[in-house]
Amino acid sequence: MDQRLQKSAFWLCLAAGVLAGIAGCDDSAKKTVQVRPAQIALPSQEAIQTPLPLDAPRQRIPQLVVQAAYGPEQLAAESQAAFDAGEQDFKAGHLGKAREEFDDALDQLLASGFDLDGDTRLSALYHHIIDTVSLDELEAFRAGDGFSEQKSTPAPIDEIAEEPIPQPEKFDPNLRGRAEGEVSAIHHDLPLTVNDPVLAYLNYFKTPRGSAIVETGLRRAGRYREMVQRVLKEEGLPQDLIYLAQAESAFLPQAVSKAGARGMWQFMSFAGRKYGLQKTWWVDERQDPEKATRAAARDLRDLYGEFGDWYLAMAAYNSGAGAVQHAVERTGYADFWELYHRNVLPKETMNYVPIILALTLISKDPARYGIDFEPEPAFKADMVKPGQAIDLRLVAETIDTDLESLRGMNPELLRLVTPPDPEFVLRVPEGSAERFFAEIAAIPPEKWVSWRRHKVEQGETLSSIAKQYRVSPAEVADANDLALGASLEEGQKLIIPAAARAEASSGKVIRYRVRRTDTIATIADEFDVTPSELRQWNHLKGDHVVRGTSLRIYPGGMSPAPQAQQQAKAKSATAEALVARRGNSAATANTPIMEARSSSTVVHHVKQGETLWSIARAYQTTVEAIQAGNRFLFSRPLQVGDTLTILPTR
């Protein structure tokens, strides 16, 4: 990957003296067995340039990377400043902003073109940042549900760093013969090499820990193999490049390295953006299996176009084209093994290509290496466009699937809610698309992030279910067109309306117990009040609220005292009279700004701090009546500056 961050825990530990002896072996070239297959037939498509051969004449390559216009000292200063800002925001609880600043600090270093290991200051800063990020940011950003970010999975390949790789003299004496025999017998569309570096990893992957990593990847590969092979074919690339994903992530879409690379193909954020992988508060497309595979294929195709050699392209995918280009320029050799023996590549990159080759050999004939596994079934799904944000729990309950399976189908989603993007495509179990649309139609779209589905269990009643979801039995009955005392049947599915609003119109207080993922802002939004009101009612000073705290809430705002109600009625009557007399002119300085559309309908411009409830009270109407006259309120929250049509009450 172009300027990929170097997954330090994995590659640095792998390189820590384990294969140092191998790299310098004078006779390793003599022990090399390399078989290059015939050129594969590649599809002809307009989107694909000249088909890529498996091998090409070695050549000197012109400089590929333009380094930063300033020196290492200024680069370090700017990266340090971004990192310090991230630290401050992290400590202040601004996690989203902190992540952006951490990413920026790393991206500045990686995209600069400088050899980070060749500069003491840059190297120290680089490792300090990724160590801090792995300890602070990744842990803090993993927990939560709902609108909190999903958990990530540590990249399995990082585990290799914890085990030493044996030296050549400790290899299984039969290993070389088995590997060389396999190369001659199996089909492959990438060049395969058997030498001491490759044998070292073949030997490691036979150990209990190494074989467990391989088995996990091979098992997961069954889920995505068809898709990956299709994308590679469409992009005109060798099918054996699938084994890069085996090495990078063991086919885990939510894998995150200690350095922050994400997804099956382990993209850093800046490299993902280069190939069209978007990252927002809602989604991270580096974790979308197909989109990330497409991006990786194009990245590898570009690297092969630059270097004309698949081993060099793979090396550049790991450490960046700049590091490989620098090694080529220093030696004049565009050959990976020559660069390997001259020790001019980053050590983690020297190990990366042998790992890929070892995994390729094992994956093509697992039984030869004692690997036994059952591949997962191929991924099958229907694609639906909800058209707006929807809670995955509601989706799962609607189509009777489990939430974890649904999340597994949509690993790019960072939260339990889909983005409010009408073009967003959600994957649901194969054959369930029609059912989804049929059943979700019973729930108003504006409730898709708050209403739920509940399957009745034996012995449950309207009252017990309502208590479970903190709503009134009448609300559940109304939402499902049931009599209040109706009996329920086991297996019956009920629509559960949004959290308790039963006494909102009277302004009576309710008690709300703070959940783990709650904030003042999310609680205020749930009950249609402002954060300042919530803080005032509970004597809170900041935006943080402790889990388990019991809050006093007046949904929609606190009811005015009798005298205030009379004053509000008087103001409303005065406003109506003025509107009737003066048309579009304002009533008084203390009266909401209105415009007349007819003798019975007025227009209200939303001001800071107002809610639907407060506006409804001012006009002696209901929230439902305002929503009925302003359909846009079904698709998004009320915003300052909105123009509302206030219909007359009946």
Side-chain angles (χ1 to χ4, degrees), residues 266 278 306 435 550 628:
Q266 291 289 281
Q278 301 301 313
E306 293 175 351
R435 182 180 181 184
S550 178

Side-chain angles (χ1 to χ4, degrees), residues 476-507:
V476 179
D478 288 344
N480 294 276
D481 196 23
L482 298 173
L484 189 56
S487 60
L488 304 177
E489 298 180 3
E490 184 178 359
Q492 182 178 354
K493 295 183 74 173
L494 300 179
I495 297 170
I496 308 298
R501 304 291 199 277
E503 298 179 333
S505 59
S506 63

Side-chain angles (χ1 to χ4, degrees), residues 356-377:
I356 303 296
L357 298 177
L359 285 173
T360 301
L361 288 168
I362 294 174
S363 300
K364 284 181 172 294
D365 192 358
R368 187 186 294 259
Y369 300 93
I371 303 294
D372 185 25
F373 70 98
E374 184 69 29
E376 294 184 8

Side-chain angles (χ1 to χ4, degrees), residues 62 115 204 242 327 382 545:
D115 180 6
Y204 169 72
I242 189 175
D382 286 348
V545 60

Side-chain angles (χ1 to χ4, degrees), residues 361-473:
L361 288 168
I362 294 174
S363 300
K364 284 181 172 294
D365 192 358
R368 187 186 294 259
Y369 300 93
I371 303 294
D372 185 25
F373 70 98
E374 184 69 29
E376 294 184 8
F379 179 82
K380 303 290 184 183
D382 286 348
M383 307 295 193
V384 300
K385 285 186 179 180
Q388 64 182 64
I390 187 169
D391 193 309
L392 292 186
R393 289 167 291 193
L394 175 60
V395 177
E397 292 156 357
T398 298
I399 59 178
D400 284 327
T401 191
D402 65 282
L403 179 61
E404 287 309 307
S405 294
L406 191 60
R407 296 195 78 175
M409 291 181 172
N410 300 275
E412 73 277 15
L413 285 174
L414 298 178
R415 291 166 171 80
L416 281 176
V417 180
T418 67
D421 176 3
E423 296 303 314
F424 176 78
V425 176
L426 180 71
R427 303 177 191 90
V428 296
E430 188 177 31
S432 63
E434 291 186 7
R435 182 180 181 184
F436 167 75
F437 284 115
E439 295 210 16
I440 205 66
I443 299 177
E446 69 274 11
K447 302 297 185 182
W448 285 359
V449 293
S450 56
W451 286 28
R452 303 285 300 280
R453 283 274 195 179
H454 178 86
K455 182 180 286 187
V456 177
E457 297 181 2
Q458 186 175 8
E460 288 188 317
T461 65
L462 280 176
S463 295
S464 66
I465 295 170
K467 184 177 181 180
Q468 177 182 342
Y469 290 96
R470 301 196 311 278
V471 297
S472 71

Side-chain angles (χ1 to χ4, degrees), residues 36-159:
R36 295 183 177 268
Q39 180 172 325
I40 60 173
L42 301 174
S44 58
Q45 300 179 17
E46 293 182 0
I48 301 176
Q49 299 175 354
T50 304
L52 304 179
L54 296 172
D55 201 1
R58 298 188 173 114
Q59 55 188 330
R60 292 181 62 90
I61 302 173
Q63 184 68 27
L64 300 173
V65 176
V66 178
Q67 292 190 339
Y70 45 81
E73 185 173 345
Q74 185 177 350
L75 171 63
E78 293 188 5
S79 177
Q80 182 71 58
F83 173 72
D84 291 343
E87 283 276 82
Q88 292 177 5
D89 281 316
F90 177 82
K91 293 175 182 177
H94 307 312
L95 302 186
K97 190 174 181 182
R99 173 189 280 109
E100 292 177 1
E101 287 159 339
F102 285 149
D103 281 348
D104 185 49
L106 290 171
D107 287 355
Q108 288 187 51
L109 293 174
L110 294 169
S112 67
F114 286 110
D115 180 6
L116 301 184
D117 288 334
D119 185 283
T120 303
R121 180 173 180 178
L122 293 179
S123 178
L125 176 59
Y126 162 74
H127 291 296
H128 174 63
I129 292 175
I130 62 172
D131 287 345
T132 302
V133 170
S134 65
L135 291 173
D136 291 346
E137 186 206 20
L138 293 182
E139 289 301 320
F141 296 156
R142 281 177 189 164
D145 57 21
F147 284 97
S148 295
E149 188 165 330
Q150 67 170 331
K151 294 182 179 180
S152 299
T153 304
I157 198 84
D158 283 345
E159 298 179 22

